[in-house]
Amino acid sequence: RKEVEQDPGPFNVPEGATVAFNCTYSNSASQSFFWYRQDCRKEPKLLMSVYSSGNEDGRFTAQLNRASQYISLLIRDSKLSDSATYLCVVNNNQGGKLIFGQGTELSVKP
Amino acid sequence: GAVVSQHPSWVICKSGTSVKIECRSLDFQATTMFWYRQFPKQSLMLMATSNEGSKATYEQGVEKDKFLINHASLTLSTLTVTSAHPEDSSFYICSATDRASGYGYTFGSGTRLTVV
């Protein structure tokens, strides 16, 4: 089983749609959780950290359920510029390593 | 903000030759550097972790003699792909952090290696 697993995607949605990404992780000792965004042929960029209480940044909301080892990302009012691959990332605190999920591709259409 | 400069951004080399990729932290001390590889349509796979002044720790399945990592200073780490083969063609990305100061992870812009 992979340490971090995400929805396979791709997600093709119209502008203005709400889209949700799901992610599960296998190591219950994981400490830190993130969502990164990666554009084609570019490096990943931090979108937001994920906290147990849930957190929101504009149109983006992240949730963490430690009991279920589940992380989610909700994007409201999708924009064309949201088209990218979204990576669920976990820090197991084993030497500070980040473990990446396989990513979910999002394509927002006009 | 923290910046990591990675170069070259792309390189084409012949089979059997070696390629060196550099990552420099421009405005912070990179006490730890992570090297990742990403094949098309796949996620980033950690290859190795290097701490300044120490030998790198390689992930299972990564050949340390093929992927040489040097992290001799707090601002520079290099990855050398030795005797490259077409199957080494990939996107290589570094990520640096200064764990002592609690800095987050800063990624380089990646190097696209094509071995012909």
Side-chain angles (χ1 to χ4, degrees):
Chain A
R1 182 187 172 189
K2 291 180 181 176
E3 283 195 68
V4 180
E5 294 207 57
Q6 296 183 238
D7 287 338
F11 283 32
N12 296 302
V13 303
E15 267 188 294
T18 295
V19 61
F21 299 136
N22 301 312
C23 172
T24 56
Y25 59 96
S26 61
N27 188 338
S28 59
S30 300
Q31 296 294 318
S32 308
F33 310 89
F34 311 92
W35 283 100
Y36 275 74
R37 169 194 169 128
Q38 186 176 27
D39 293 286
C40 188
R41 295 175 175 264
K42 302 277 189 179
E43 76 276 20
K45 296 197 172 174
L46 180 64
L47 181 64
M48 59 198 302
S49 300
V50 188
Y51 304 112
S52 296
S53 54
N55 47 300
E56 186 175 308
D57 182 2
R59 297 181 293 109
F60 300 85
T61 301
Q63 297 275 355
L64 166 65
N65 184 322
R66 285 188 182 270
S68 305
Q69 295 178 204
Y70 168 85
I71 307 162
S72 66
L73 175 68
L74 186 76
I75 305 176
R76 292 181 298 277
D77 189 22
S78 300
K79 311 291 185 191
L80 296 176
S81 56
D82 293 333
S83 298
T85 296
Y86 290 82
L87 301 165
C88 177
V89 184
V90 172
N91 182 339
N92 288 339
N93 276 2
Q94 295 172 3
K97 295 190 287 189
L98 294 181
I99 309 298
F100 286 78
Q102 72 269 36
T104 303
E105 187 179 344
L106 172 66
S107 179
V108 182
K109 306 290 188 186
Chain B
V3 176
V4 171
S5 173
Q6 180 174 348
H7 70 92
S9 54
W10 61 270
V11 58
I12 302 173
C13 72
K14 290 185 178 179
S15 233
T17 60
S18 295
V19 174
K20 181 185 282 189
I21 301 169
E22 289 190 354
C23 273
R24 291 181 185 273
S25 57
L26 300 186
D27 47 7
F28 68 103
Q29 294 183 331
T31 53
T32 304
M33 190 76 78
F34 302 93
W35 287 94
Y36 294 87
R37 177 169 54 182
Q38 185 177 34
F39 292 107
K41 298 293 184 182
Q42 295 186 28
S43 191
L44 280 74
M45 297 300 296
L46 181 65
M47 299 174 67
T49 303
S50 73
N51 294 299
E52 183 266 337
S54 303
K55 287 185 178 180
T57 302
Y58 289 81
E59 295 298 303
Q60 193 172 10
V62 179
E63 299 174 57
K64 63 179 182 180
D65 294 330
K66 181 168 180 63
F67 299 99
L68 302 179
I69 292 171
N70 185 289
H71 192 171
S73 80
L74 284 170
T75 59
L76 173 65
S77 178
T78 62
L79 166 68
T80 301
V81 183
T82 63
S83 186
H85 289 98
E87 57 265 31
D88 298 325
S89 299
S90 188
F91 191 49
Y92 292 85
I93 310 176
C94 63
S95 172
T97 186
D98 178 9
R99 298 175 69 190
S101 66
Y103 249 153
Y105 299 83
T106 302
F107 284 83
S109 54
T111 298
R112 190 158 300 281
L113 170 64
T114 302
V115 185
V116 298

